[in-house]
Amino acid sequence: MTSRYESGLTKLNELAPGAADSMMDTFRDVCPDLAKYTIEFPFGEVLQRDGLDFRTRELATIAALTAMGNCQPQLKGHISGALNIGCTQKEITEVILQMSVYAGFPAAINGMTAAKEVFELLDDHDAE
Amino acid sequence: MTSRYESGLTKLNELAPGAADSMMDTFRDVCPDLAKYTIEFPFGEVLQRDGLDFRTRELATIAALTAMGNCQPQLKGHISGALNIGCTQKEITEVILQMSVYAGFPAAINGMTAAKEVFELLDDHDAE
Amino acid sequence: MTSRYESGLTKLNELAPGAADSMMDTFRDVCPDLAKYTIEFPFGEVLQRDGLDFRTRELATIAALTAMGNCQPQLKGHISGALNIGCTQKEITEVILQMSVYAGFPAAINGMTAAKEVFELLDDHDAE
Amino acid sequence: MTSRYESGLTKLNELAPGAADSMMDTFRDVCPDLAKYTIEFPFGEVLQRDGLDFRTRELATIAALTAMGNCQPQLKGHISGALNIGCTQKEITEVILQMSVYAGFPAAINGMTAAKEVFELLDDHDAE
Amino acid sequence: MTSRYESGLTKLNELAPGAADSMMDTFRDVCPDLAKYTIEFPFGEVLQRDGLDFRTRELATIAALTAMGNCQPQLKGHISGALNIGCTQKEITEVILQMSVYAGFPAAINGMTAAKEVFELLDDHDAE
Amino acid sequence: MTSRYESGLTKLNELAPGAADSMMDTFRDVCPDLAKYTIEFPFGEVLQRDGLDFRTRELATIAALTAMGNCQPQLKGHISGALNIGCTQKEITEVILQMSVYAGFPAAINGMTAAKEVFELLDDHDAE
């Protein structure tokens, strides 16, 4: 195991506890290296970098995924992750709302629906 | 003139002095209301909102425009604007670099080329 | 309430009776202003404008949403809405079919599948 | 030559006189069949169809190309073509403006810039 | 029936036995010509062409659909089809993995999830 | 320097002699790590992999970039690179033509225009 893998694992677990195991498990039989690369490059290199704090990085990712509009599972994962590292629900919904300007209202509405589903799931967990 | 228009004008001038006049001028004969709406809705409403500071909003916009990859003029405008309101070159290049993960290397490379062009233009101005 | 909101509400109800309430309800706890802006800007301003009739506007929207291919809920809403304001099924399917040329066959096929689902749902309602 | 080719040629010449020759010429050495297919399928079949008039078809295409935002040459060609078959400048700018709602302001602004360039070029021709 | 239709039918049945009937059935009441065109143009013309073998054509299609990220049903159909005409699971997963570079990790992950679902479905069939 | 960097450099130079130096030079002052990552991850890892030959990988990349339609500089680079590693002009134009089916005619036409420009530039070089 490379040190990029190990530090990526730590970073990913900070954002989404259990996600690394789940991703390794999902892709074990089809393409385990996709999980390995995901841990090594985005989490082990890019998101480790100085010059921009992790919270702002997650808000930037939420902006991009909302605007692209074709990767709802990842958008939900990053909304949940952003909350885990200290972003507020308000910061997240403001970023998504702002995308109505740059990517149109359907993108913003679908992004906000993703946020609503994540928030409600977490509320249900908290209520248990 | 609505108060949304007036406060939008102030906001847009903060980001990009002269851009409102230039946009009004460009679209005067084809569709002046596109300029009017741009000032009223994005600048007069969305970017005025509480809950997320203007600098983070601009970084989120740079993330989205880099990821979408089909609006280079607006990307350059927001890179320049982000610098005007206090974002550092480093914050901007980190956001763009991060898009290699979410939208691919071509998007990040084209975004970084836009940043380079904006930075060099400003350096030239400073050197004059 | 602004007059833009009120006229937007009327316009949206013409297209999709009940949609405004449903949208307000959906986003009440996450971001009610997204629903408010949707009513005020698209419906209260853009779709109110002269120079292009409402039916042609809806066909243009169906063209764009089919081509973008990443906002099926909105595409279905506008297909249903277009029928409500007098577009024929034939006009709608012709616009979607035409997108095979500009956005590829997968986009057209997914758009047509959306149309089929909307048409069948309405047939079921009529049959009740 | 197929009858689809011949009727496509007539249709394309109606929209953009000279475009077929120019396209055949451009792709003669790389891939002449791309020009042939373009004439046969979009122009010889899809745009020949009943159920939607040619003017509305062109407005739908302008909507889609503005929203997609990655094919400016084709967008300009269809704006020019739409004028040739009787669409008004106002109808065209209204469709483009409307895309601010569905695809965001950058898409609408870049589409309107394309329209402005086409309109001005035609004004220059008329003035000669 | 045109000869393009007949040869397209043969080609499509080679890739996906039963798909033509299923598509004709799906669109019979909404727009049968979309099914007809799909058989005639992509399958009856483009995929019939010399100069590139069918297997490489399918891998190119899988690359494009993974990168676009907004047409999962077609992506799954082409993954299944690629296997039918002799592509290996390994070739398919390599193409999808490679899209992490050009379209980002979310596109690659969603593409790989589609591949996993297709592979597992086929394993289930084989186990029966 | 990592071994990923060194093997990536070799791979990139095989595809596009001089491109690594040019890219390092371009991004030296804005974000040298973008060039470093580009060499390490796409070229030092993904394109090094077994299971799919380099020529098919390049054709898959040309398919994806043509379909995405928003990264012409990279598309041209990969068309030129594909020729360097033994793809024929015919294979390249067939892949691009095929994208008319999956991403629409504008995408295919713009991709073919890129191919034409690359081919002509190389012809000019050969003629010198």
Side-chain angles (χ1 to χ4, degrees), chain A residues 68 70, chain B residues 66-70 102-108 110, chain D residues 68-71, chain E residues 63-69 98-104 107, chain F residues 60-72 74-75 99 102-104 106-108 110-111:
Chain A
M68 294 167 75
N70 58 1
Chain B
T66 299
M68 295 168 76
N70 58 1
Y102 300 103
F105 281 81
N110 292 333
Chain D
M68 295 167 75
N70 58 1
C71 34
Chain E
L65 297 180
T66 300
M68 295 166 76
Q98 187 174 320
M99 292 305 110
S100 64
V101 171
Y102 301 104
Chain F
T61 296
I62 289 168
L65 298 180
T66 298
M68 295 166 76
N70 59 0
C71 36
Q72 293 299 94
Q74 287 75 29
L75 176 57
M99 292 305 110
Y102 301 104
N110 293 332

Side-chain angles (χ1 to χ4, degrees), chain C residues 49 57 61 94 97-98, chain D residues 49 57 61 94 97-98:
Chain C
R49 294 173 60 85
R57 287 190 183 278
T61 296
E94 286 299 317
L97 174 62
Q98 186 174 322
Chain D
R49 294 172 61 84
R57 286 191 184 277
T61 296
E94 285 300 316
L97 174 62
Q98 187 173 321

Side-chain angles (χ1 to χ4, degrees), chain C:
Chain C
M1 250 193 276
T2 63
S3 66
R4 292 158 64 242
Y5 186 88
E6 300 218 352
S7 69
L9 206 53
T10 305
K11 194 77 178 177
L12 175 49
N13 278 330
E14 187 184 342
L15 193 74
D21 283 352
S22 156
M23 186 169 57
M24 290 304 275
D25 204 55
T26 300
F27 294 130
R28 174 157 297 121
D29 294 333
V30 268
C31 183
D33 282 353
L34 177 54
K36 176 174 165 285
Y37 290 154
T38 304
I39 290 165
E40 285 180 349
F41 179 61
F43 291 97
E45 296 201 296
V46 177
L47 299 176
Q48 300 279 348
R49 294 173 60 85
D50 293 336
L52 196 66
D53 64 288
F54 199 11
R55 288 174 63 265
T56 306
R57 287 190 183 278
E58 281 309 292
L59 295 174
T61 296
I62 289 168
L65 298 180
T66 299
M68 295 167 76
N70 59 0
C71 35
Q72 292 300 94
Q74 287 75 29
L75 176 56
K76 287 190 187 178
H78 281 279
I79 290 170
S80 169
L83 294 170
N84 287 341
I85 61 165
C87 293
T88 64
Q89 289 197 3
K90 178 72 174 165
E91 287 172 317
I92 292 166
T93 58
E94 286 299 317
V95 162
I96 293 172
L97 174 62
Q98 186 174 322
M99 291 305 110
S100 65
V101 171
Y102 300 104
F105 280 81
I109 289 171
N110 293 334
M112 201 64 82
T113 303
K116 180 184 159 76
E117 290 173 17
V118 171
F119 296 168
E120 288 177 353
L121 203 63
L122 297 176
D123 285 350
D124 289 354
H125 283 194
D126 291 351
E128 276 167 24

